[in-house]
Amino acid sequence: DVDAAILHGRLSSPAIRRKVTEETTRTVRFLVSSTFTDTNEERNMFLSDVLPYIQEYARTLRIDVHMVEMRWGIRSEASQSHETSEICMRELSRALRESLAVAYVFLATQ
């Protein structure tokens, strides 16, 4: 299945590369979700090491990759008025609407 191959990063076959390059939306936007306290190191490593590598590779395919990171995206006023879930769901809906592939990544630890 072409979509599964794209999601797993297998972009070497001509049919898959054609699908990726023919899409009108050339963006992968995904929301990263996890608990904020016990995945801090994993999130930081993803931001500093993994994401730049993914973005660099995606540029070779003419794809923009955008990660939505809610650790810094929720203002204290929104948090105090209990709007955090609504804001996260709005960002997830945007990612689902705009993304060529994956729209949600969940980080979990043991």
Side-chain angles (χ1 to χ4, degrees), residues 7-108:
L7 287 173
H8 288 97
R10 296 188 301 266
L11 305 174
S12 58
S13 89
I16 292 171
R17 288 184 76 86
R18 208 170 20 258
K19 168 140 173 106
V20 168
T21 58
E22 288 175 0
E23 293 287 337
T24 56
T25 301
R26 306 289 308 151
T27 300
V28 172
R29 177 182 304 279
F30 59 96
L31 173 71
V32 174
S33 177
S34 71
T35 57
F36 289 160
T37 54
D38 65 344
T39 58
N40 197 44
E41 287 182 41
E42 292 82 359
R43 283 172 166 274
N44 289 340
M45 195 264 305
F46 189 86
L47 278 170
S48 66
D49 187 43
V50 177
L51 183 61
Y53 176 80
I54 292 170
Q55 289 171 323
E56 181 180 335
Y57 179 72
R59 275 192 295 275
T60 68
L61 301 169
R62 295 179 300 159
I63 298 171
D64 292 325
V65 175
H66 304 278
M67 182 181 98
V68 179
E69 166 63 91
M70 299 310 290
R71 277 191 299 183
W72 303 293
I74 305 290
R75 294 193 174 136
S76 60
E77 308 87 56
S79 181
Q80 291 169 357
S81 63
H82 307 289
E83 296 174 22
T84 303
S85 294
E86 183 180 319
I87 292 168
C88 289
M89 292 307 294
R90 198 167 42 240
E91 286 300 323
L92 178 58
S93 293
R94 179 180 178 199
L96 287 166
R97 199 173 50 251
E98 296 178 6
S99 188
L100 175 65
V102 66
Y104 183 79
V105 173
F106 178 72
L107 298 177

